[in-house]
Amino acid sequence: METNKKPIVVLENITKSYAMGELFVDALKGISIELTEGDFISVAGPSGSGKTTLMNIIGLIDRPGSGSLYVGGNKTENCNRRELTRLRREYIGFVFQSFNLLPVLTVFENVELPLLIGEKGLSKNERKERVDYFLEEVGLADRSNHKPSELSGGQQQRAAIARAMVTKPRLVIADEPTANLDSANGERILELMKKVNQEEGTTFLFSTHDPDIWKIADHILFLRDGELVKEQKK
């Protein structure tokens, strides 16, 4: 891995507040961080510390109240919805805690969907080869023709992880990716993510309470009450 790694996401003095009745809650208070190529990052902090808000802003799901956010060198403040969608498609893969698999599609079709939407120039055989590879890696090759309703929670989680990585995004954002997995499958998924991280230079950003992820993370962000209170790099 080269030492002069390029930044994928840059946050400069990011704030975010939410209205709760007549009160405003400061979810983020002046966060400034940089995520670079090949980072394996965990966001740690108690409930209400701002982890989810931070992940949503980095993933372009939510907009900051103030400050500057750059994704792939693109300043996002003035981007319209279509431009933000393009940046998400080109740079980011998501692993949601709620899976967000489409119930009418098979596992194979769910994983293939991002390739149909965003990857131009891939043939049907190339799409199949890539989907089959990631389904094999997450241990779901024998479930490719099943619908999500026919899978356990852990299997749905693994399908969601395969879908997030099938486009080989520059950044994967994962919300508790091992929460619904037993220890063996959790370890398998972490090994796969670390393999993709090292071989492809993919940046991973986790929000997790899993100490196994903290152990292998090379960069941990500690949040409390919307503030970055500590940043640990190994």
Side-chain angles (χ1 to χ4, degrees), residues 50-228:
K51 298 191 303 295
T52 299
T53 302
L54 178 64
M55 304 278 276
N56 286 344
I57 286 175
I58 291 173
L60 304 176
I61 294 172
D62 202 357
R63 288 184 182 267
S66 65
S68 295
L69 172 66
Y70 299 84
V71 175
N74 299 276
K75 194 172 184 178
T76 63
E77 281 98 304
N78 298 321
C79 288
N80 59 33
R81 186 175 296 178
R82 178 177 294 180
E83 292 167 334
L84 292 176
T85 298
R86 177 185 62 81
L87 287 175
R88 275 196 302 270
R89 187 172 63 238
E90 290 182 2
Y91 286 91
I92 302 171
F94 293 93
V95 180
F96 296 101
Q97 200 169 359
S98 56
F99 315 134
N100 287 2
L101 299 173
L102 296 178
V104 298
L105 301 182
T106 65
V107 169
F108 183 97
E109 291 165 341
N110 266 285
V111 175
E112 183 187 33
L113 188 59
L115 297 177
L116 294 172
I117 294 171
E119 290 280 335
K120 306 300 182 183
L122 282 182
S123 68
K124 183 177 180 179
N125 285 339
E126 287 171 327
R127 292 197 307 271
K128 184 178 187 305
E129 183 177 331
R130 197 181 292 185
V131 173
D132 285 345
Y133 170 78
F134 280 103
L135 286 178
E136 179 69 34
E137 288 293 318
V138 300
L140 289 178
D142 61 342
R143 294 288 187 271
S144 63
N145 292 319
H146 290 238
K147 298 287 180 65
S149 61
E150 300 172 305
L151 304 182
S152 68
Q155 289 171 333
Q156 291 182 56
Q157 179 73 308
R158 285 185 275 152
I161 289 167
R163 182 186 58 190
M165 295 196 293
V166 75
T167 60
K168 299 184 179 180
R170 304 281 294 281
L171 169 65
V172 173
I173 296 176
D175 183 11
E176 297 286 359
T178 59
N180 296 286
L181 304 178
D182 59 34
S183 58
N185 279 310
E187 185 175 333
R188 180 176 186 168
I189 290 302
L190 291 180
E191 288 175 356
L192 171 61
M193 289 180 168
K194 197 64 179 176
K195 178 182 176 183
V196 172
N197 167 254
Q198 293 173 339
E199 294 182 358
E200 305 286 345
T202 304
T203 301
F204 282 82
L205 177 66
F206 302 91
S207 174
T208 182
H209 292 91
D210 187 344
D212 288 333
I213 293 180
W214 296 344
K215 289 176 187 175
I216 63 174
D218 52 43
H219 190 170
I220 304 177
L221 306 172
F222 295 91
L223 298 185
R224 183 182 299 125
D225 297 328
E227 296 183 303
L228 181 62

Side-chain angles (χ1 to χ4, degrees), residues 16-27 48:
K16 182 67 178 180
S17 299
Y18 294 102
M20 296 187 67
E22 296 182 356
L23 299 175
F24 278 88
V25 175
D26 294 321

Side-chain angles (χ1 to χ4, degrees), residues 29 31-33 221-224 226-231:
K29 306 171 185 176
I31 301 291
S32 296
I33 55 174
L221 306 172
F222 295 91
L223 298 185
R224 183 182 299 125
E227 296 183 303
L228 181 62
V229 295
K230 183 180 178 183
E231 190 169 358

